[in-house]
Amino acid sequence: MQRPSRRSRTTPPSSPAQAAALLAGAVVAGTVYATGWERNDFTVRHHTLPLLAPGSRPLRILHVSDIHMTPGQKRKQRFLASLAQLEPDLVLNTGDNLSNDRAVPSVVQALGPLLGVPGAFVFGSNDYFAPVPKNPLPYIGIGQKKHSAIPLPWRDLKAAFSERGWVDATHRRAEIAVDGRRVLVAGVDDPHIDRDRYSEIEGPAGPAFDLRIGLVHAPEPRILDRFDSDGYDLAVAGHTHGGQLCLPTGAIVTNCGIDRSRVQGLSAWGRNLVLHVSAGLGTSPYVPVRTFCKPEATLLELVAGPGGGGDDAPVPATPLRERVPLPV
C-alpha cells in the first residue's frame, strides 16, 4: 500500500470565510468580557508611601474616583459600601460621581459608611453635566471635543457630602484633623472643562502640617506643577479611567495632558510631589467597557520615611524620585 504523501497529510489553509468567522468570534468574546466582566470586576489596590515624619504611625487614605453611578448599579453600590471594612483614616473623592440625574441617592447610600470618616472632595465634569454619546476621534487627536450641557444635581450631592462632614476642597484650603494629625487639603475645580482657578489657593502649603494634599479631578500638568511648587506632598486625581480601553502593553490615551506612563497609579511629579491617579470605578453609560484596566478604589498607606511632613522635617533637597522608587 502506498503511504499518503506529506502534502495530503497537512491541514489545508483556512478559507477567508473561516478567518472572518474566527475574527468575529474573537471580537464578540472580547466585547462580552469587556462589557460583562471586566468593567464590573471591582478591585482594591494597595500602595505604601513613606511620606510622614520619622516616628509617625501609619495613616490610611482611601481614594475613590469616577464612580459614574446610575441608580441600577447594585453591584457597584455594594462594592462601595464594602470599602468601609478597610477602616481608612481619611477618604478622598476626586469627582465624576454621577451619570444620571437620579443617581444622587445611590451614591450617598453606597458611600454612607464612609461619610462618617474624615473626608474631602472635588467634583468633575460628570458631576455637573450628564454624559452624552461622543465621537471617539477627538480622543486620539482628530477633531475637537464637545462637552455636555445637560445639568446634573451636583448641588444636592455637595450638600449631602458636606452635611455628613466631608470638606468641599474646591478652590479652598482647609485643615482636617485626622487621627491626631494636622492635614492640609486644597483643591481646584475640574480643569477638563476649564473651571480651575488655582489663584484662589496659591501660596506655600507651609511646614505646620503633618501632611499636605492637593485634589483635582483631571490631572492636568499646569495644576500639578503648582501643587509641587507650593510644597504639597501628595496630589490625587482621577478622570483618566486608567485609559479604559487599554492594550496589554498599556493605555492608548489619557484624555488629558499627562503622559501614558502616569495614566494610573503612582508617579513622582516635579521635585517633591507624589501623584496618584485613580483608574476609577465606572464608565460612561455610552461606553460601558474596560479592557486591561479593572475598575478600582485605592488604599494609600502612608508611613514614616525620610523627608516626611511635620514641623521639624524640612523639605529635603533630594528629589522625591531619588528617595521613593516611583515611575517617572
Side-chain angles (χ1 to χ4, degrees), residues 158-182:
K158 174 183 175 179
F161 285 173
S162 299
E163 287 168 3
R164 297 289 294 274
W166 280 10
V167 171
D168 181 0
T170 307
H171 299 142
R172 179 185 175 194
R173 294 161 61 117
E175 180 180 334
I176 302 178
V178 181
D179 190 33
R181 267 73 71 90
R182 299 181 64 191

Side-chain angles (χ1 to χ4, degrees), residues 4-306:
S5 67
R6 184 178 298 273
R7 177 181 295 273
S8 67
R9 287 186 284 119
T10 59
T11 302
S14 298
S15 69
Q18 290 174 316
L22 289 173
L23 178 60
V27 169
V28 170
T31 301
V32 169
Y33 174 80
T35 59
W37 175 253
E38 182 157 340
R39 76 181 180 95
N40 292 311
D41 189 15
F42 303 110
T43 189
V44 177
R45 300 198 185 277
H46 297 255
H47 298 290
T48 301
L49 284 171
L51 287 181
L52 302 179
S56 298
R57 61 188 180 278
L59 189 69
R60 295 161 67 85
I61 297 177
L62 177 65
H63 181 196
V64 295
S65 194
D66 297 87
I67 295 171
H68 290 283
M69 184 71 78
T70 62
Q73 293 178 322
K74 301 300 183 183
R75 183 172 180 177
K76 185 189 294 182
Q77 293 165 26
R78 289 193 297 271
F79 175 79
L80 282 167
S82 75
L83 295 175
Q85 299 172 17
L86 298 173
E87 299 183 341
D89 301 303
L90 177 67
V91 181
L92 302 175
N93 181 317
T94 48
D96 272 12
N97 295 275
L98 307 176
S99 277
N100 185 281
D101 62 1
R102 295 178 291 107
V104 170
S106 298
V107 172
V108 174
Q109 183 176 5
L111 289 174
L114 293 168
L115 291 172
V117 177
F121 65 93
V122 292
F123 282 158
S125 60
N126 283 153
D127 293 301
Y128 300 115
F129 305 108
V132 294
K134 293 182 179 179
N135 181 352
L137 293 179
Y139 289 90
I140 57 174
I142 302 174
Q144 188 173 3
K145 294 178 183 177
K146 295 183 179 180
H147 300 295
S148 168
I150 303 171
L152 287 173
W154 63 273
R155 291 179 180 84
D156 295 340
L157 186 63
K158 174 183 175 179
F161 285 173
S162 299
E163 287 168 3
R164 297 289 294 274
W166 280 10
V167 171
D168 181 0
T170 307
H171 299 142
R172 179 185 175 194
R173 294 161 61 117
E175 180 180 334
I176 302 178
V178 181
D179 190 33
R181 267 73 71 90
R182 299 181 64 191
V183 177
L184 174 68
V185 296
V188 295
D189 213 341
D190 191 1
H192 185 61
I193 51 175
D194 299 319
R195 293 175 70 111
D196 55 297
R197 299 191 300 276
Y198 193 91
S199 61
E200 297 193 18
I201 60 167
E202 68 181 345
F209 301 96
D210 298 289
L211 182 67
R212 295 154 287 265
I213 305 174
L215 286 76
V216 62
H217 177 65
E220 291 294 349
R222 69 177 185 273
I223 304 299
L224 302 177
D225 287 345
R226 301 290 293 275
F227 281 138
D228 179 49
S229 64
D230 278 344
Y232 288 84
D233 304 299
L234 173 68
V236 293
H239 176 71
T240 66
H241 295 190
Q244 187 168 329
L245 298 174
C246 299
L247 299 174
T249 53
I252 302 171
V253 297
T254 66
N255 195 26
C256 63
I258 61 171
D259 57 89
R260 287 178 293 167
S261 67
R262 304 174 192 269
V263 74
Q264 176 184 1
L266 293 169
S267 62
W269 187 276
R271 185 167 182 78
N272 286 297
L273 185 69
V274 175
L275 170 65
H276 181 259
V277 179
S278 172
L281 286 163
T283 67
S284 165
Y286 299 102
V287 191
V289 295
R290 280 180 178 256
T291 58
F292 301 103
C293 183
K294 291 183 179 182
E296 67 179 30
T298 306
L299 188 68
L300 302 172
E301 183 163 9
L302 275 56
V303 299

